[in-house]
Amino acid sequence: RWSPPTPVNTSSLKTTSPPATPPSPTTTAPSNSSASSPAELGEFEGDPTLEPGVAVDPGEECAMVLEALLVNDPVLDVSGGDSTNKGQSPLRHLYQVGTTRVYFAAGVLERLEVLRMEAVAVAAKLAQSQVRRLLVCKRYTAQRKGAVKIQCVVRGRVAQRRFQTAQSAATKLQALVRRVMTKKGLEEARM
């Protein structure tokens, strides 16, 4: 599955004089090329039509991004394209790529804005859910540490009471034994 790259401002890209023959979508880049973007090098992840090291025209890249965004859009009418141009996308009637600008048919820019806002909303929801998750994890960890501390204190007090009870019982037993032994010693001494 082809994932669209980040949008590229075509006015900032270096332009070269057009070759004598029209460029094909998969023209190889010269070895000393100054290609710097992944799009120019043809490094689209998962795109089976492009190979690494294959240069892509910025206009072609823009067209690929737009088609990826608009191809499954249920709102836009994709059937209005001119079907006489073989090899061109049926979405080509919705936009026109110029040298430095992209021109859209009526409603396409608004639809792209809606898609952008939906993507931003999804990203915001994801960020919010992650922050809420982190806060809940932090609160849970603090509560767990508090519960462990309370359990530790309660177990310590219970053990302390058991020890005091056992010590008191031992002291009483020792006193009883001493009394009995002393009484027995006095009776033997009288006799």
Side-chain angles (χ1 to χ4, degrees), residues 10 19-20 29 37 76 95 99 124 132 141 164:
T10 57
S37 74
L76 293 175
Y95 62 91
T99 306
R132 281 194 301 268
T141 304
Q164 287 173 348

Side-chain angles (χ1 to χ4, degrees), residues 121-135:
V122 167
K125 286 178 186 176
L126 180 65
Q128 289 170 356
S129 70
Q130 290 299 317
V131 168
R132 281 194 301 268
R133 182 187 67 81
L134 288 173
L135 291 175

Side-chain angles (χ1 to χ4, degrees), residues 22-105:
S24 68
T26 56
T27 353
T28 57
S31 61
N32 60 356
S33 171
S34 64
S36 59
S37 74
E40 290 176 25
L41 295 175
E43 296 175 0
F44 292 115
E45 292 183 17
D47 187 5
T49 60
L50 296 178
E51 300 172 9
V54 176
V56 177
D57 180 37
E60 300 265 342
E61 177 187 0
C62 184
M64 289 189 317
V65 170
L66 287 172
E67 287 180 21
L69 289 172
L70 300 175
V71 71
N72 293 325
D73 194 2
V75 176
L76 293 175
D77 179 28
V78 293
S79 62
D82 186 13
S83 61
T84 59
N85 292 339
K86 299 293 182 193
Q88 281 197 355
S89 168
L91 299 172
R92 205 61 175 183
H93 71 285
L94 296 176
Y95 62 91
Q96 181 65 43
V97 179
T99 306
T100 59
R101 294 186 181 169
V102 178
Y103 300 94
F104 296 100

Side-chain angles (χ1 to χ4, degrees), residues 123-174:
K125 286 178 186 176
L126 180 65
Q128 289 170 356
S129 70
Q130 290 299 317
V131 168
R132 281 194 301 268
R133 182 187 67 81
L134 288 173
L135 291 175
V136 166
C137 284
K138 187 176 180 180
R139 184 174 47 192
Y140 171 75
T141 304
Q143 287 176 347
R144 185 175 170 93
K145 284 182 180 179
V148 167
K149 187 72 171 175
I150 290 170
Q151 289 172 354
C152 178
V153 168
V154 168
R155 286 185 184 130
R157 301 242 176 173
V158 168
Q160 189 177 20
R161 283 186 187 151
R162 283 184 184 162
F163 176 75
Q164 287 173 348
T165 304
Q167 188 178 22
S168 174
T171 303
K172 287 179 184 178
L173 184 63
Q174 287 174 353

